[in-house]
Amino acid sequence: MSDTADIPKQDIGRYGIWSIGLRSEDPSRRGEIAEAAAELEELGFGAAWLGGSSAVRHAVPLVEATSTLTVGTSIQSIWQHTAQEAAAAFAELEAARPGRFLLGIGVSHAKLADQYRRPYSALVAYLDALDAAGVPAGRRVVAALGPRSLELSRDRALGVVPYLVTPEHTARARGILGEAPLLAPELKVILEPEPARARALARTSLAPYLALPNYTDNFLRLGFTEDDLADGGSDRLVDAVFAWGEESRIRDRVDTFLSAGADHVALQIVDDEPRDSLPRQAWRTLASLLA
């Protein structure tokens, strides 16, 4: 079983922010990102999750700009960065800022990684290599969806950071994980009360994921049908994986994940701005409605 004593679950709070914009490769945005991270900490969010195939180096500006915010990769693809590289970068950041970073890893998708083969076995080997390189189990999380990956994460990591899931998946994951491991699902939030516009924004965001079998297979395991996956996603599917509407409706949707067994919810703002933008006003709204 994993040693989770290094970072207790409560250290990252109930709410975090998931953002691709926080992992920009543009050096000119470093100051903007640091400022945004400092505000997230002031707003009371416990963690910032770096979207896309992020790496340890992307966390450095956020960790340096804050004093309590936990920063995690969500996710680092096991195909793009070797375990040895990840471990060396982890050790350097850990020496400078102990206890502030969580290494989130995952197998990504066959369409995004040419070397994608036997993903479960590759994940096991990657965790073995992290063990050998000295990255504690209690300082890493896995983007697990299916039962076998959840069981592996239970035994070899602090917990899991499932992406694009429902409260039903959260409940199933908690049943597999047991009480101790961290369960921190991502949830997309649309601050739009008008149903047609909210669902249109949701479908634009959802479309790329519906071409990735890891996600569609998970939806089918949860009881959705091929019809739910067609034409950008049914209303049923959209409403299951997005929180949209009036503030009270969004708050209730977030609470549904917590009631299903989540310790922490990583909230991603979806709007009509570029995905790498920093929706700081929306983050302020989220902080207010969740207070």
Side-chain angles (χ1 to χ4, degrees):
M1 300 295 288
S2 63
D3 176 8
T4 61
D6 292 341
I7 301 181
K9 290 189 296 189
Q10 62 268 24
D11 280 2
I12 68 169
R14 300 181 82 187
Y15 310 114
I17 290 295
W18 192 103
S19 170
I20 285 181
L22 290 171
R23 65 164 294 278
S24 175
E25 298 280 0
D26 184 352
S28 69
R29 297 192 66 193
R30 188 179 178 106
E32 177 189 13
I33 288 170
E35 184 179 282
E39 183 177 17
L40 289 177
E41 183 174 78
E42 292 172 4
L43 289 171
F45 291 104
W49 300 96
L50 308 181
S53 184
S54 46
V56 180
R57 71 179 186 276
H58 296 118
V60 173
L62 289 81
V63 171
E64 291 181 343
T66 56
S67 59
T68 62
L69 188 74
T70 295
V71 183
T73 48
S74 181
I75 60 166
Q76 178 177 285
S77 170
I78 66 171
W79 312 107
Q80 291 187 358
H81 306 276
T82 69
Q84 292 74 22
E85 291 168 345
F90 172 88
E92 183 177 353
L93 181 54
E94 179 66 11
R97 306 278 177 155
R100 299 286 312 287
F101 175 73
L102 287 175
L103 178 64
I105 63 171
V107 300
S108 187
H109 304 274
K111 292 186 177 182
L112 303 179
D114 291 339
Q115 63 271 56
Y116 192 96
R117 301 287 187 281
R118 297 170 54 92
Y120 179 83
S121 296
L123 181 58
V124 171
Y126 201 94
L127 290 167
D128 290 343
L130 290 178
D131 284 343
V135 178
R139 302 296 302 284
R140 60 202 191 203
V141 290
V142 181
L145 292 177
R148 281 210 306 166
S149 294
L150 288 165
E151 291 172 354
L152 178 66
S153 305
R154 176 195 65 203
D155 297 339
R156 304 288 304 276
L158 175 68
V160 297
V161 285
Y163 188 86
L164 198 65
V165 293
T166 66
E168 291 74 22
H169 181 274
T170 298
R172 293 187 187 187
R174 177 53 73 199
I176 291 171
L177 293 171
E179 183 179 351
L182 175 73
L183 177 50
E186 176 267 353
L187 173 61
K188 295 173 177 58
V189 177
I190 301 176
L191 298 171
E192 170 57 58
E194 203 283 310
R197 174 164 169 73
R199 289 186 176 123
L201 286 168
R203 288 189 173 95
T204 298
S205 172
L206 185 60
Y209 302 112
L210 294 180
L212 299 173
N214 288 359
Y215 292 126
T216 55
D217 289 349
N218 192 51
F219 289 143
L220 294 173
R221 281 194 298 267
L222 291 168
F224 293 98
T225 68
E226 294 289 351
D227 288 342
D228 287 309
L229 307 180
D231 302 321
S234 66
D235 285 356
R236 176 187 175 217
L237 179 62
V238 165
D239 293 351
V241 296
F242 289 80
W244 61 266
E246 301 287 352
E247 291 186 3
S248 60
R249 188 178 192 273
I250 290 172
R251 184 173 58 249
D252 289 346
R253 192 64 183 159
V254 175
D255 286 345
T256 300
F257 280 80
L258 295 170
S259 297
D263 301 296
H264 173 96
V265 184
L267 301 164
Q268 178 183 179
I269 291 293
V270 173
D271 54 24
D272 54 7
E273 295 298 318
R275 286 198 76 199
D276 64 352
S277 65
L278 297 173
R280 293 174 65 176
Q281 183 54 55
W283 292 342
R284 294 170 194 142
T285 300
L286 273 182
S288 177
L289 72 88
L290 294 171

